[in-house]
Amino acid sequence: MIGMMALLIIFAPAPNVLSAPVDRLIRIDARSFEYTPGTIDVNPGDHVTLELVSHDVVHGLYIDGYDLNVTADPGQTSRLSFVADRVGSFRFRCSTTCGALHPFMIGKLNVGANDGLWRAIGLAVLAAFAGVWAVKK
Ligand SMILES: [Cu+2]
């Protein structure tokens, strides 16, 4: 019984994987030394367009793993479009030296990355129940 439920949690199709890819327009405000929002969540296969808006000096945005870069001049908006065809968590970072804390200007792109997390939580809860059940028996 417990084993069946564990298999169900591991192999059940996740809703966000089944959903059809969509076009996403995501605006990212860049100021020294942070991005707002700092975390972006998309689904695998989504057509993502990032709008990088710089509010003070020249800022860039480079996405690790995707090897994509865009820069925005002060007061300007730059666009970067790509298909989120790599699943996982990727850091993005400022690619233009913009000041003292430039190395800390980072954010995160999650491409369907929370799925594994929820499965892990499901298994942990199940394991806890199984433990309680075994003790009571
Ligand atoms: Cu910067």
Side-chain angles (χ1 to χ4, degrees):
M1 181 61 187
I2 298 287
M4 285 281 290
M5 286 174 72
L7 288 178
L8 198 66
I9 290 171
I10 294 170
F11 292 110
N16 68 353
V17 173
L18 289 178
S19 63
V22 296
D23 291 335
R24 284 179 197 271
L25 179 63
I26 299 169
R27 176 189 161 120
I28 299 178
D29 291 291
R31 332 186 137 73
S32 302
F33 300 91
E34 62 174 352
Y35 295 109
T36 310
T39 303
I40 305 168
D41 294 292
V42 302
N43 288 325
D46 282 357
H47 291 245
V48 182
T49 299
L50 299 181
E51 267 189 353
L52 182 68
V53 186
S54 176
H55 292 272
D56 39 31
V57 298
V58 181
H59 287 294
L61 191 156
Y62 174 83
I63 306 175
D64 287 358
Y66 277 83
D67 196 25
L68 293 169
N69 184 48
V70 65
T71 58
D73 289 333
Q76 298 293 306
T77 301
S78 293
R79 281 184 188 78
L80 173 68
S81 293
F82 63 98
V83 175
D85 54 4
R86 271 170 234 184
V87 175
S89 274
F90 305 92
R91 288 221 174 270
F92 57 81
R93 60 191 78 240
C94 189
S95 55
T96 305
T97 305
C98 58
L101 297 179
H102 161 72
F104 300 98
M105 191 165 170
I106 52 180
K108 202 189 223 181
L109 168 69
N110 293 319
V111 183
N114 288 328
D115 185 33
L117 177 68
W118 286 113
R119 282 172 205 262
I121 290 172
L123 285 176
V125 169
L126 182 65
F129 272 116
V132 170
W133 180 73
V135 167
K136 279 190 174 170
K137 208 176 167 198

